[in-house]
């Protein structure tokens, strides 16, 4: 299993149209369409209306979706099924050797970090709406994440093992438990989990002398295992593929202990989003522009150091200069995690600064907003495309595609999703998956027809 857009270097582990001119002319000066106080007055929670959506969040979510797509494509077509020998035999092998470090440095883990941050931020916004309206959040939100877990389980069984939704659902329940905690405590816990979880789980066997329960998850899969999975996914029946999906997910998360550090990492990112929401940062981005501009160079520098170290550690481990269970590899993991967080902040701050720089900047970034509004639909669509393009029940391209082709495929797929998402949202309020999720959450059919414009920045 793999979280969207994530593949630790040296630790290949699992781990989501044009702006309407008439609308843009009247709204580009607005960051958000309403303050958190402008909420419905009914006694039960309802889906967020178009007037209450946070435009910049949709833009960032759409941007993150591209990184998720590219990171996952590289992971499933290379790390899971290709041995070094098979990778060297690809027609694009020389180009792949240049593209892969680029993916590790700029893509891996940064975009699932953004998604996880936005998940926690969305929870904080929902919490604010509920408190301002005097309505309980827990029952509705618990139903929301329970349904998300069910969607995730169906996703794993029918489409793809690299699901993140189940873990998001479990983490969402955790947010309910800590929603009243002191903000400083939340921030301290968030940074502790995000920075130290991987290092702590990896170093525990060394410090205690116990057998390394998670060692298999942190090492590259053996050639035999890759060849077996290539046979199953590349030419097996749909029944065999579905069984392998369940086995792969359970084997990584439970048997190999990957969940021991991945869940704390994800939850730590949730808490960072919750902290930002508690501080009302989504509603103060224009005010925070000077702060983001001041911190951006520092974040970029830390990101470069941390991700540069990730590349170096991977090279040292491949050449035998550093053992995969070495003490220094676990120390380096803390610096790598800091680099991941810093790089994700760099992307987030850069988008916010561009958003506030000019009306033209907002208009251009607005192309990403429809994709972000339909993030769940588009994320699940990725899995359908993975099944059709690469598996034996489709075109059977497993073993034929390397990182270079993944970049091309990601650009094409995402461009189509941008066009389709805009087209869809001119006609409907929600994406198909979002409509199902909301309908089941609120226990009544949600109106689907759009109100006349594309809700972009």
């Amino acid at each position: 299993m793999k979280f969207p857009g994530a593949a630790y270097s040296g630790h290949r582990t699992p781990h989501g149209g044009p702006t309407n001119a008439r609308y843009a002319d009247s709204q580009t000066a607005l960051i958000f369409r309403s303050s958190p106080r402008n909420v419905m007055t009914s006694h039960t929670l309802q889906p967020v209306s178009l007037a209450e959506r946070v435009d910049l969040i949709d833009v960032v979510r759409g941007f993150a979706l591209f990184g998720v797509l590219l990171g996952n494509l590289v992971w499933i077509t290379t790390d899971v099924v290709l041995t070094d020998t098979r990778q060297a035999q690809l027609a694009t092998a020389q180009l792949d050797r240049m593209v892969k470090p680029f993916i590790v440095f700029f893509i891996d883990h940064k975009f699932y970090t953004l998604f996880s941050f936005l998940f926690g931020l969305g929870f904080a916004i929902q919490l604010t709406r509920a408190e301002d309206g005097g309505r309980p959040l827990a029952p509705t939100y618990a139903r929301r994440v329970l349904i998300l877990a069910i969607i995730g389980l169906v996703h794993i069984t029918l489409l793809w093992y690299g699901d993140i939704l189940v873990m998001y659902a479990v983490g969402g329940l955790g947010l309910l438990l800590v929603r009243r905690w002191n903000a400083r405590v939340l921030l301290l816990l968030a940074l502790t989990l995000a920075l130290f979880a991987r290092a702590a789980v990896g170093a525990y066997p060394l410090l205690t002398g116990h057998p390394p329960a998670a060692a298999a998850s942190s090492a590259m899969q053996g050639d035999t295992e890759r060849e077996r999975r290539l046979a199953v996914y590349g030419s097996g029946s749909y029944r065999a593929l579905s069984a392998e999906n369940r086995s792969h997910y359970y084997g990584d998360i439970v048997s190999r202990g990957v969940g021991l550090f991945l869940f704390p990492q994800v939850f730590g990112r949730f808490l960072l989003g919750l902290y930002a929401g508690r501080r009302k940062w989504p509603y103060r981005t224009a005010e925070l522009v000077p702060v983001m501009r001041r911190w951006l160079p520092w974040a970029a520098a830390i990101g470069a150091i941390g991700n540069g170290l990730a590349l170096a550690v991977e090279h040292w481990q491949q050449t035998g200069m550093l053992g995969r269970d070495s003490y220094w590899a676990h120390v380096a993991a803390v610096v790598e995690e800091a680099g991941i967080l810093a790089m994700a902040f760099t992307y987030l701050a850069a988008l916010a600064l561009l958003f506030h720089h000019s009306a033209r900047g907002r208009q251009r970034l607005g192309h990403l907003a429809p994709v972000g509004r339909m993030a769940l639909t588009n994320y699940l669509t990725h899995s359908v495309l993975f099944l059709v393009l690469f598996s034996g029940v489709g075109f059977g391209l497993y073993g034929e595609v390397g990182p270079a082709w993944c970049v091309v495929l990601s650009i094409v797929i995402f461009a189509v999703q941008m066009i389709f998402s805009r087209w869809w949202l001119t006609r409907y309020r929600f994406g198909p998956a979002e409509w199902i999720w909301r309908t089941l959450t609120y226990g009544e059919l949600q109106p689907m027809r759009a109100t006349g414009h594309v809700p972009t920045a």
Side-chain angles (χ1 to χ4, degrees):
M1 175 209 171
K2 174 188 173 86
F3 282 146
Y8 279 113
S9 58
H11 302 269
R12 299 298 176 194
T13 58
H15 32 314
T19 303
N20 181 287
R22 177 181 57 187
Y23 179 72
D25 288 342
S26 62
Q27 296 290 339
T28 49
L30 297 179
I31 309 166
F32 311 113
R33 296 191 182 91
S34 71
S35 74
R37 300 288 172 182
N38 295 330
V39 296
M40 292 176 287
T41 57
S42 62
H43 294 290
T44 59
L45 284 177
Q46 297 293 327
V48 176
S49 68
L50 295 183
E52 294 176 289
R53 294 197 67 88
V54 181
D55 291 333
L56 184 55
I57 289 180
D58 286 333
V59 166
V60 176
R61 188 179 289 114
F63 172 76
L65 193 68
F66 174 75
V68 164
L69 170 61
L70 177 54
N72 280 340
L73 264 179
V74 173
W75 186 71
I76 68 167
T77 59
T78 304
D79 299 321
V80 173
V81 297
L82 288 186
T83 63
D84 291 342
T85 301
R86 285 187 178 272
Q87 291 183 50
Q89 293 171 349
L90 294 174
T92 57
Q94 290 187 348
L95 188 56
D96 290 338
R97 282 192 285 271
M98 292 185 287
V99 172
K100 190 64 179 291
F102 174 90
I103 301 298
V104 172
F105 191 93
F106 290 103
I107 303 298
D108 285 351
H109 286 279
K110 290 76 177 178
F111 291 89
Y112 107 79
T113 293
L114 286 176
F115 253 115
S116 301
F117 173 83
L118 293 177
F119 190 91
L121 187 63
F123 173 82
I125 292 173
Q126 293 178 64
L127 181 61
T128 297
R129 292 179 65 236
E131 290 176 343
D132 290 346
R135 299 180 296 268
L137 174 70
T140 301
Y141 195 79
R143 280 199 309 274
R144 179 180 176 86
V145 295
L146 175 61
I147 293 163
L148 185 65
I150 294 172
I151 294 173
L153 292 173
V154 173
H155 180 215
I156 295 166
T157 303
L158 300 183
L159 294 175
W160 187 47
Y161 51 84
D163 175 78
I164 195 174
L165 303 179
V166 172
M167 191 163 291
Y168 270 36
V170 176
L173 291 176
L175 287 175
L176 284 175
L177 300 177
V178 303
R179 66 187 187 276
R180 307 294 184 193
W181 286 17
N182 178 273
R184 291 184 178 179
V185 174
L186 286 178
L187 180 60
L188 178 61
L189 178 60
L191 293 175
T192 300
L193 293 177
L195 293 175
F196 297 101
R198 178 159 69 106
V201 172
Y204 178 79
L206 298 177
L207 298 175
T208 62
H210 290 91
S217 68
S218 63
M220 294 288 284
Q221 294 173 331
D223 287 353
T224 301
E225 181 68 6
R226 284 202 178 98
E227 292 287 356
R228 185 189 69 79
R229 285 182 172 168
L230 178 60
V232 173
Y233 289 124
S235 58
S237 66
Y238 181 76
R239 172 178 287 186
L241 187 148
S242 178
E244 183 65 20
N245 280 345
R246 297 190 299 271
S247 174
H248 194 167
Y249 184 91
Y250 178 84
D252 274 356
I253 294 299
V254 180
S255 298
R256 296 188 179 101
V258 172
L260 291 176
F261 68 82
L262 279 181
F263 177 76
Q265 283 184 324
V266 171
F267 192 63
R269 287 152 169 79
F270 284 2
L271 294 179
L272 289 174
L274 176 58
Y275 175 82
R278 291 268 294 271
R279 298 293 300 270
K280 300 295 189 294
W281 286 354
Y283 305 101
R284 299 166 48 211
T285 53
E287 170 192 339
L288 295 172
V289 161
V291 177
M292 288 186 285
R293 186 177 290 117
R294 187 165 58 249
W295 278 98
L296 184 59
W298 292 100
I302 296 172
I305 293 170
N307 290 285
L309 180 62
L311 287 174
V313 168
E314 182 174 18
H315 174 72
W316 294 334
Q317 290 177 332
Q318 289 175 345
T319 57
M321 295 176 61
L322 184 67
R324 299 195 180 278
D325 292 319
S326 164
Y327 170 82
W328 292 109
H330 301 307
V331 172
V334 178
V335 182
E336 292 174 27
E337 294 298 334
I340 289 168
L341 293 180
M343 190 71 79
F345 173 80
T346 300
Y347 295 153
L348 179 63
L351 287 172
L353 292 175
L354 287 172
F355 190 87
H356 289 288
H357 182 261
S358 66
R360 176 174 293 185
R362 286 189 291 275
Q363 185 176 9
R364 289 177 176 174
L365 288 176
H367 296 310
L368 296 169
V371 188
R373 280 196 56 212
M374 291 176 54
L376 180 59
T377 295
N378 287 320
Y379 170 67
L380 295 175
T381 301
H382 294 171
S383 299
V384 175
L385 291 173
F386 296 162
L387 183 70
V388 172
L389 291 175
F390 301 110
S391 76
V393 300
F395 291 97
L397 293 180
Y398 271 121
E400 307 295 332
V401 175
W405 271 114
C406 288
V407 174
V408 176
L409 283 172
S410 297
I411 293 172
V412 172
I413 291 170
F414 191 73
V416 172
Q417 288 191 319
M418 289 176 67
I419 296 170
F420 176 78
S421 297
R422 173 172 169 75
W423 176 87
W424 181 273
L425 291 174
T426 60
R427 292 157 177 80
Y428 305 103
R429 297 179 64 207
F430 311 115
E434 286 78 9
W435 179 81
I436 293 172
W437 190 13
R438 284 164 170 78
T439 293
L440 294 177
T441 296
Y442 297 102
E444 58 184 25
L445 291 175
Q446 299 297 307
M448 274 291 285
R449 282 294 173 183
T451 55
H453 65 255
V454 182
T456 58

